[in-house]
Amino acid sequence: MTSRPLALVTGASRGIGAATARALAPTHDLLLDGRDAVALETLAGELPGASAWPVDLTDDGSVVAAVTALGIERLDVLVHSAGVGLLGTVAETSPETWRRQFDVNVVAVASLTRILLPALRAARGDVVLVNSGAGYTARPGWGSYAASKFALRAFGDALRAEEPDLRVTSVHPGRVDTEMQQAVVAHEGGEYDGSTYLRPGSVAAAIVGAVQATPEALVQEIVLRPR
Ligand code: NAP
């Protein structure tokens, strides 16, 4: 019996990452990353072939130790969904906020990808970067978040060019009904109506579509908006 392909999903404790794990579970064994170990264990318990892999991705030493402990030689899919959305005008945004935003949204992504490159190369794997509409456009009050997502798009472009055996997909959703979006709307001072936003499962379905593309095809970018 052949074993199923292996996918590692970051930010799997909730939101888009959890939905992506659910969507990949019928076809993939799963490693579920996040910091909330209880949420990860609960989700892993619902999905056959899934294991919690609780790691703070901004803690370099823990990431190296956790990847080493996995001892995997092949990784078929790496979905980077972990992220923070810290809003504020340029006038309001402290150096700490700039650093935190880049640390989670860019540096942690680059670092985890780098450590897993041998396993990804061995599988000719997929790297999916959950970016944002803010990866193309910086609106007022979104400067440091958009800058981090522009940087994430540049990272993806460089990785795709450098590692032609990998498929690197950049996913750019509009507003999605998650805890992050609730915090965004609270910051903006608007009424939250999740029914007007994308569902996390809709972003997950687009990610699965990219991962399941025929082998010679690369879904390079996905832009997804609520209708
Ligand atoms: P969310 O509900 O706030 O979930 C964020 C996830 O990131 C959580 O699972 C969280 O896990 C994880 N995370 C944060 N910091 C981490 C760290 N240091 N180490 C490990 N995991 C960490 O957010 P979401 O809405 O699903 O967003 C997922 C991605 O989509 C983000 O990259 C976001 O920028 C992007 N996006 C979201 C929207 C939207 O409207 N929601 C739109 C466009 C793009 P723990 O709390 O367990 O650590």
Side-chain angles (χ1 to χ4, degrees):
M1 201 171 86
T2 53
S3 61
R4 303 198 310 163
L6 178 66
L8 193 163
V9 181
T10 76
S13 54
R14 53 195 153 87
I16 295 167
T20 301
R22 289 183 190 283
L24 286 171
T27 49
H28 290 70
D29 287 343
L30 290 164
L31 294 165
L32 308 176
D33 164 72
R35 291 165 302 176
D36 184 340
V38 173
L40 296 172
E41 292 288 358
T42 302
L43 182 58
E46 295 171 21
L47 306 177
S51 305
W53 191 67
V55 185
D56 181 340
L57 297 172
T58 63
D59 181 342
D60 298 334
S62 296
V63 174
V64 171
V67 170
T68 305
L70 284 176
I72 52 173
E73 291 177 1
R74 288 174 54 97
L75 180 62
D76 299 279
V77 180
L78 173 58
V79 179
H80 292 282
S81 190
V84 290
L86 309 172
L87 301 191
T89 62
V90 170
E92 291 165 348
T93 305
S94 67
E96 291 73 24
T97 297
W98 277 96
R99 289 196 185 96
R100 179 77 192 150
Q101 194 111 249
F102 271 74
D103 207 14
V104 180
N105 293 357
V106 187
V107 179
V109 173
S111 184
L112 181 64
T113 306
R114 174 173 167 268
I115 296 167
L116 288 168
L117 266 181
L120 286 163
R121 285 178 185 141
R124 293 173 58 83
D126 288 281
V127 179
V128 179
L129 304 165
V130 182
N131 200 302
S132 168
Y136 294 117
T137 309
R139 294 188 289 122
W142 292 67
S144 68
Y145 178 71
S148 74
K149 293 298 192 181
F150 274 54
L152 182 63
R153 183 157 56 90
F155 165 76
D157 288 348
L159 182 68
R160 192 180 301 112
E162 290 170 5
E163 302 285 343
D165 282 350
L166 305 187
R167 297 199 296 191
V168 180
T169 302
S170 194
V171 183
H172 297 261
R175 292 180 190 252
V176 187
D177 182 15
T178 68
E179 287 180 32
M180 179 183 289
Q181 191 54 238
Q182 288 170 16
V184 165
V185 172
H187 175 89
E188 293 171 332
E191 280 286 309
Y192 192 87
D193 179 0
S195 69
T196 63
Y197 305 141
L198 289 165
R199 294 191 300 273
S202 304
V203 182
I207 291 171
V208 170
V211 168
Q212 290 182 342
T214 47
E216 88 294 356
L218 159 66
V219 180
Q220 187 164 314
E221 292 180 30
I222 299 173
V223 177
L224 214 61
R225 293 271 176 279
R227 290 173 72 174

